[in-house]
Structures are given as structure tokens and as C-alpha cells.
Amino acid sequence: MSAANTVNFQYWNKKMETLPRAELEAWQLDKLREAVGFALRTPFYRERLAAAGITDAGGIKTLADLKRIPFTAKNDLRDGFPYGFLSIPRDEVIRLHASSGTTGTPTTIYFSREDIARWTSFVARCIYGTGCTQRDVFQNMITYGLFTGGLGFHAGGEEVGMLVIPSGAGNTSRQFRLMQDFSVTVVHATPSFLLHLEAKMREEGVRREDLSLKRAFAGAEPYSEDTRRRIEGLLNIDVYNSYGLSEMNGPGVAFECQCKNGLHIWEDGYIAEIVNPDTLENVPDGETGELVLTCLCREATPILRYRTRDLSAFYTEPCPCGRTHRRLHRIKGRSDDMLIINGVNVFPSQIEEVIMGIKEVGNNYLIVVEKEGALDRLTVKTEVGPDIFMDDSRPLNALKERIRKTLQASVTINPRVELHESGSLPVSEGKAVRVRDMRKKDV
Ligand code: DLL
């Protein structure tokens, strides 16, 4: 990556970001003991850890003892709703966040004042590491409220000293107005909202030369490298991948540096493992598996060895930026996202990778799976780009056929392809809903 030769890397906390591995691991051991100490105050972990022979924090002698700690799953957190995982007195808690809870009971995370300060400094580290400074004007176009993306980035942006505009998600006309009025240089949104914004820009006659945008942070949902390139090309900006989850505070868990090649996971705040989701054994470095995270930076709600369901792999070589914290590959999807279509395993991310690589395809798409007799039928609906005329059927049919063939070659399933006019497929303000699996009764 040429960035190493051309970029002046900036670090929010150079000492911690470039800490030699041995010191980083000594720090982790110390923090893991603290986390286990807090966990032992909750009935759930007291029971689970005792069953594993851990009755006090001193039971953790080396980092290898992590493997003795049982995994925690989303359902465990749900079962503990609302206060089962709270490990400090209630009146020392200053905030809660909760996951969307689209399927059943939400999971709630509590924060002490120190927890918020630590989380904020991790988000500031992410933001500053992309080259932002206090001269930047930052429009936070993501949902505020119980969702962690809004307040998490808001606080991180202020910590860096940027001028933060809490615009929230949605309402593209107002977003454009704010961007122009205040010469916004940095935005934060889901990648699907950035694509939607770009399509709306053309509709509303806003040109990218009218904007002062230089960078975007995009995350909270999976997206492909082609989608990143597409957004970068259309808006003429740098897009940085941002990963996090409510159970681990929210955003600020892993982030790309100026090299834009893998996400540094902040190992002074989190212990990351990648396991085989079936055997739960650690996979060799470089191999894909399920990311398991232990939170080292929160006292109010300790969570140990959390099964994220997110699929990723570690990079094996160090990053040219000099940070010692390992990098994760772009999240491929969630193990529970995988579609089985007539016996073939397909990740929605594979489909996105193909269609976003075809330049005539527009910025929005939808994957529909349904039953047709005994068989499953995959339909990929995509919008067309602005240069394609919907009333000229010959080039449309040729495009459709090209998409179908490329998809078939990639996922080995013959899909039905539908082309739709730009702006006609549904858009959601938060995380995009890209898959409709009609085979499931509750859809
Ligand atoms: O999405 C936190 C967040 C806010 C991250 C803003 C980044 C930016 P949850 O709502 O709990 O938290 O959803 C977490 O979203 O387990 C992944 O499946 C997915 N996800 C988040 N970031 C990425 C990403 C926030 N960059 C779940 N790439 C996670 C792929 C992502 N998937």
C-alpha cells in the first residue's frame, strides 16, 4: 500500500496505539482480571465462571486462561434483561443503550461515567486516525437515541474537537442544506444511506463540487469493497470502514486507519478471538471464522467471550501505519445471515460484491428468496444507474443478462434478475434491509 510513503500518520494516543505486543498483552491480562472481577458480581457470570473453576479474579493467571471462560451469547444477555448483567450500583450508572431488538427482548448495556469516557476516547482514536482534526466540520447522519451510532460518534467527534452537527439519519434535502451551509468536511452514515444520498444528490441537482466533503465513516452494516469504491468515486471522498456492536459499547471497536486496508481492533479495549463457529476452537491466524470479543474497557456491564456471529479473519502481516493492534478483514456477513438456496450456501455479501462491481447498476438492491413448488427461487432486484433509460428494452435486456451470468458464475445459482428505476426500491433510514426471505413465515 503506497499510503505508507505518502501519508503523515496521526495517532490520538501514540503510546497505546503502537505499544509493543508484549506490553499490550500484559495490559490485556491486567484488564482481563479486572473484567472478571466485575463479572463475578453478576449472578450469571458467578455461576458460569464457578462451573469453569474461576471463583475470583486471581484465577486468571495468564492470557491463556481466557480459554477457560465460557462463551456468552446474545440469548444470555436477553435472559438477563433488564438488570441481570449490571455489575455496579445502579446509581453509579449514567447511561444505557439498547440493541434494536427487532427479534424479541432487547439487550441493554449500562455505562458508568468512566465507561463513557473510555468509549469516547476509542471513538476519538478512530476518527483522528483517519486524518481528521479540530478544523473539520462533522455531520453525524446516523440515528441518535438507543442506537449507539449517534451518541457514540457525537462524543468522539467532540473529543477530537471537530464542530459536530447532530443531524441524525434521513431527510436528504436537509442533510444537503446543512452540508452546504456549514461547509461540512466529514460525514458518518451507513453505507446504504451514503449510496442513497448520492442518488438523491443527482435528483436534487446538488453537485459534488458544491460540497466540501473529504471523508466519510461508513459502518453498522456489511458492505463490499466495490461499494466502498463506488461511494468514494461518486462523492470524490475517502471512505473508512467502521465496525462495532452495542454489546461492546457500539462504534469504536475496530476502524480503518489511513491505509484503508483492514480494521485495527483496539486490543487495549477488547480481546479478539476468531473461532470455528461449529467447534468453537480458535482458527489459525488468517482463516475466516466467527469473531469473539471480550470487553476490557467497561465496568458497568462486563461481557466476556461474546459470540458476535460476525465472520472475519485477522491479517497476518503488520500494518504500514505502525500500529501494533491487529487488523480484521472487512466483515463478510453474519453466520446467521447465510442463505441456503437449494442446498447452496450464499452470503448476501457475495451478491453485493458482484452487482456493485457492475457500473450500470444503480445504488440500491434487494435480494428476495421464495419457494416455487419444491424449489427455492432467488431474485435479485437492482436499480439501474442514471445513464440507463428504462424505455429502451434492448440494452436493458443485455444488462439483465450480464448481471445474471456474472451472479451465476459467482454464487453457482441461476437467479432471476429484475431491473428497477433509480429511487424505486425501498430505503430504510437505519441499517438497510437487503434480504427478504419469504420462506420464513414471519416475513
Ligand atoms: O451497529 C454499532 C455501530 C454504529 C457500528 C455505527 C458502526 C457504526 P449494533 O446495532 O449492535 O451496533 O449492530 C452490530 O452490526 O455485529 C455487525 O453484524 C454489524 N456491523 C456493524 N459494523 C459493521 C461493519 C452497531 N463495518 C452489528 N461491517 C455487528 C459489517 C457491521 N457489519
Side-chain angles (χ1 to χ4, degrees), residues 38 41-42 83 85-94 110-115 298-302:
F38 281 108
R41 298 182 188 181
T42 68
Y83 284 120
F85 280 78
L86 181 62
S87 59
I88 61 171
R90 222 293 287 122
D91 54 6
E92 288 172 25
V93 174
I94 63 161
Y110 302 95
F111 298 81
S112 69
R113 191 171 301 282
E114 290 74 26
D115 291 339
R298 194 176 55 219
E299 56 190 8
T301 324

Coordinates of all heavy atoms in Angstrom, one line a residue, residues 38 41-42 83 85-94 110-115 298-302:
F38 N -15.3 -7.7 37.9 CA -16.6 -7.1 37.7 C -17.7 -8.2 37.4 O -18.8 -8.2 37.9 CB -16.6 -6.0 36.7 CG -16.0 -4.7 37.2 CD1 -14.8 -4.3 36.8 CD2 -16.7 -4.0 38.2 CE1 -14.2 -3.1 37.4 CE2 -16.2 -2.8 38.7 CZ -15.0 -2.4 38.3
R41 N -19.5 -10.2 40.0 CA -20.5 -9.5 40.8 C -21.9 -9.8 40.2 O -22.9 -9.4 40.8 CB -20.3 -8.0 40.8 CG -19.0 -7.6 41.4 CD -18.9 -6.1 41.4 NE -17.6 -5.7 41.9 CZ -17.3 -4.4 42.0 NH1 -18.2 -3.5 41.7 NH2 -16.1 -4.0 42.4
T42 N -22.0 -10.4 39.0 CA -23.3 -10.7 38.4 C -23.7 -12.1 38.6 O -22.8 -13.0 38.5 CB -23.3 -10.3 36.9 OG1 -22.5 -11.3 36.2 CG2 -22.8 -8.9 36.6
Y83 N -31.7 -6.0 34.3 CA -30.5 -5.6 35.1 C -29.6 -6.8 35.4 O -28.7 -6.6 36.2 CB -31.0 -5.0 36.4 CG -31.5 -3.6 36.2 CD1 -32.9 -3.2 36.6 CD2 -30.7 -2.6 35.7 CE1 -33.3 -1.9 36.4 CE2 -31.2 -1.3 35.6 CZ -32.5 -1.0 35.9 OH -32.9 0.3 35.8
F85 N -27.1 -8.1 34.1 CA -25.6 -8.0 33.8 C -25.0 -6.8 34.4 O -23.9 -6.4 34.1 CB -25.4 -8.1 32.3 CG -25.4 -9.5 31.8 CD1 -26.6 -10.1 31.5 CD2 -24.2 -10.2 31.5 CE1 -26.6 -11.4 31.1 CE2 -24.2 -11.5 31.1 CZ -25.4 -12.1 30.8
L86 N -25.8 -6.1 35.2 CA -25.3 -4.8 35.8 C -24.4 -5.2 37.0 O -24.8 -6.0 37.9 CB -26.5 -4.0 36.3 CG -26.1 -2.7 37.0 CD1 -25.4 -1.8 36.0 CD2 -27.4 -2.0 37.5
S87 N -23.2 -4.6 37.0 CA -22.2 -5.1 38.0 C -21.7 -4.0 38.9 O -20.8 -4.2 39.7 CB -20.9 -5.6 37.3 OG -20.4 -4.6 36.5
I88 N -22.4 -2.8 38.8 CA -22.0 -1.7 39.8 C -23.4 -1.2 40.3 O -24.4 -1.5 39.7 CB -21.2 -0.6 39.1 CG1 -22.1 0.1 38.0 CG2 -19.9 -1.0 38.6 CD1 -21.4 1.3 37.4
P89 N -23.3 -0.5 41.4 CA -24.6 0.0 42.0 C -25.4 0.9 40.9 O -24.7 1.6 40.2 CB -24.2 0.9 43.1 CG -22.8 0.4 43.5 CD -22.2 -0.1 42.3
R90 N -26.7 0.7 40.9 CA -27.5 1.4 39.9 C -27.3 2.9 39.8 O -27.3 3.5 38.8 CB -29.0 1.1 40.2 CG -29.9 0.8 39.1 CD -30.1 1.9 38.1 NE -31.0 3.0 38.6 CZ -30.7 4.2 38.6 NH1 -29.5 4.6 38.2 NH2 -31.5 5.1 39.1
D91 N -27.0 3.5 41.0 CA -26.9 5.0 41.0 C -25.5 5.4 40.5 O -25.2 6.6 40.5 CB -27.3 5.6 42.3 CG -26.5 5.0 43.5 OD1 -25.6 4.2 43.2 OD2 -26.8 5.3 44.7
E92 N -24.6 4.5 40.2 CA -23.4 4.9 39.5 C -23.4 4.8 38.0 O -22.5 5.1 37.3 CB -22.2 4.1 40.0 CG -21.8 4.4 41.5 CD -20.8 3.4 42.0 OE1 -20.0 2.8 41.3 OE2 -20.8 3.3 43.3
V93 N -24.6 4.4 37.5 CA -24.8 4.3 36.1 C -25.3 5.6 35.5 O -26.3 6.2 36.1 CB -25.8 3.2 35.8 CG1 -26.2 3.1 34.3 CG2 -25.3 1.8 36.2
I94 N -24.7 6.1 34.4 CA -25.2 7.4 33.9 C -25.9 7.3 32.6 O -26.5 8.2 32.1 CB -24.1 8.5 33.8 CG1 -23.0 8.1 32.9 CG2 -23.5 8.8 35.2 CD1 -22.2 9.2 32.4
Y110 N -25.2 -0.9 30.2 CA -25.1 0.2 31.1 C -23.7 0.8 31.1 O -22.7 0.0 30.9 CB -25.5 -0.2 32.5 CG -26.9 -0.8 32.5 CD1 -27.1 -2.2 32.4 CD2 -28.0 0.0 32.6 CE1 -28.4 -2.7 32.4 CE2 -29.3 -0.5 32.5 CZ -29.5 -1.9 32.5 OH -30.7 -2.4 32.4
F111 N -23.6 2.1 31.3 CA -22.3 2.7 31.4 C -22.1 3.6 32.6 O -23.0 4.3 33.0 CB -22.2 3.7 30.2 CG -22.2 3.0 28.8 CD1 -23.5 2.7 28.2 CD2 -21.1 2.8 28.1 CE1 -23.5 2.1 27.0 CE2 -21.1 2.2 26.8 CZ -22.3 1.8 26.3
S112 N -20.9 3.5 33.2 CA -20.6 4.4 34.3 C -20.0 5.7 33.6 O -19.7 5.6 32.4 CB -19.6 3.8 35.2 OG -18.3 3.7 34.6
R113 N -19.7 6.7 34.4 CA -19.1 7.9 33.8 C -17.7 7.5 33.2 O -17.4 8.0 32.1 CB -18.9 8.9 34.9 CG -18.5 10.3 34.4 CD -18.5 11.3 35.5 NE -19.9 11.5 36.1 CZ -20.9 12.1 35.6 NH1 -20.7 12.8 34.5 NH2 -22.1 12.2 36.2
E114 N -17.0 6.7 33.9 CA -15.6 6.3 33.3 C -15.8 5.5 32.0 O -15.0 5.5 31.1 CB -14.8 5.5 34.3 CG -14.3 6.3 35.5 CD -15.5 6.6 36.5 OE1 -16.5 5.8 36.6 OE2 -15.3 7.6 37.2
D115 N -16.9 4.6 32.0 CA -17.1 3.8 30.8 C -17.4 4.7 29.6 O -16.8 4.5 28.5 CB -18.4 2.9 31.0 CG -18.1 1.8 32.0 OD1 -17.0 1.5 32.3 OD2 -19.1 1.3 32.6
R298 N -15.0 -1.7 30.2 CA -16.3 -1.3 30.7 C -16.6 -2.0 32.1 O -16.5 -3.2 32.1 CB -17.5 -1.6 29.8 CG -18.8 -0.9 30.1 CD -19.8 -1.2 29.0 NE -20.0 -2.6 28.9 CZ -20.2 -3.2 27.7 NH1 -20.3 -2.5 26.6 NH2 -20.3 -4.5 27.6
E299 N -16.9 -1.2 33.1 CA -17.1 -1.8 34.4 C -18.6 -2.1 34.7 O -18.9 -3.1 35.3 CB -16.5 -0.9 35.5 CG -17.1 0.5 35.5 CD -16.4 1.5 36.5 OE1 -15.4 1.1 37.0 OE2 -17.0 2.6 36.6
A300 N -19.5 -1.3 34.1 CA -20.9 -1.4 34.5 C -21.6 -2.7 33.9 O -22.5 -3.2 34.5 CB -21.7 -0.1 34.1
T301 N -21.1 -3.1 32.7 CA -21.7 -4.3 32.1 C -20.6 -5.1 31.5 O -20.3 -5.0 30.4 CB -22.7 -3.9 31.0 OG1 -23.4 -2.8 31.4 CG2 -23.7 -5.1 30.7
P302 N -20.0 -6.0 32.3 CA -18.9 -6.8 31.8 C -19.4 -7.9 30.8 O -20.4 -8.5 31.2 CB -18.2 -7.4 33.0 CG -19.3 -7.4 34.1 CD -20.3 -6.3 33.7

